[in-house]
């Protein structure tokens, strides 16, 4: 956990050293293995990331971060059926896991299952109203389908979380224009 704190504080060298130390103590440390998986995902070394995810699940079969990272790999490599299966397995552990629901929504969206995607984004936002990724995805989806009233509401909630997010502000302006609020859009 000290490695995670170091990472969040931007002390990457310290984080790396602490994660290596954690793996030396426990080769199945799910926190350290997920840290490694995340690094490999960012570097687009997806198969290496899967190795870390699988090993993390050996150490802790209920670790949602391992499931999430594994699902991200399958999403990024267009193995969507496997990604969906991984997400469904994770939801058996915690049916309210907002990041898993959000990822499942993205998978459904990539499969052109828009209603299912909407449902998952909505469930993610309900489970964790402060989870900005799901809020952004839900907002973009309703805006894309020209449900401007719902889009205005979703963007307002998103802007409460990230008031300086230019993309959210511009999209909010589009939604306001869609409901005829031209002054607000301006």
């Amino acid at each position: 956990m000290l490695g995670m704190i170091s990472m969040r504080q931007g002390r990457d060298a310290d984080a790396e050293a602490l994660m290596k130390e954690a793996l030396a103590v426990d080769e199945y440390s799910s926190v350290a293995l997920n840290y490694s998986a995340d690094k490999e995902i960012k570097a687009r070394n997806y198969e290496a990331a899967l190795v870390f995810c699988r090993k993390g699940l050996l150490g802790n079969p209920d670790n949602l971060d391992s499931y999430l990272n594994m699902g991200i790999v399958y999403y990024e490599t267009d193995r969507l059926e496997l990604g969906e299966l991984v997400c469904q397995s994770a939801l058996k552990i915690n049916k309210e896991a907002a990041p898993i629901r959000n990822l499942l929504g993205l998978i459904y969206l990539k499969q052109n299952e828009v209603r299912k995607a909407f449902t998952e984004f909505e469930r993610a936002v309900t489970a964790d109203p402060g989870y900005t990724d799901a809020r952004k995805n839900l907002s973009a989806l309703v805006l894309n389908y020209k449900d401007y009233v719902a889009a205005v509401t979703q963007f307002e909630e998103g802007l409460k979380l990230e008031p300086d997010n230019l993309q959210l502000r511009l999209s909010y302006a589009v939604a306001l224009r869609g409901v005829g609020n031209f002054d607000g859009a301006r």
Side-chain angles (χ1 to χ4, degrees), residues 37 40 45-53:
E40 295 297 341
N45 298 326
Y46 297 119
E47 296 310 311
L50 279 177
V51 171
F52 289 119
C53 294

Side-chain angles (χ1 to χ4, degrees), residues 80-144:
L80 302 177
E81 295 81 16
L82 288 172
E84 183 179 352
L85 181 64
V86 166
C87 289
Q88 295 296 349
S89 296
L91 291 172
K92 289 177 184 173
I93 297 166
N94 180 355
K95 67 180 181 171
E96 301 301 319
I100 300 292
R101 292 245 175 240
N102 185 60
L103 178 58
L104 188 55
L106 291 171
I107 289 169
Y108 286 146
L109 203 54
K110 221 175 193 183
Q111 293 172 328
N112 293 316
E113 296 280 350
V114 177
R115 288 185 194 274
K116 286 183 177 181
F118 176 84
T119 299
E120 293 305 326
F121 295 146
E122 196 171 51
R123 290 179 82 175
V125 167
T126 299
D128 183 356
Y131 188 56
T132 57
D133 288 345
R135 177 77 59 193
K136 289 176 193 175
N137 290 329
L138 180 59
S139 301
L141 187 60
V142 295
L143 181 62
N144 190 47

Side-chain angles (χ1 to χ4, degrees), residues 18 38 56-57 72 83 178-179:
L18 287 163
D38 188 55
L57 287 172
I72 290 169
V179 295

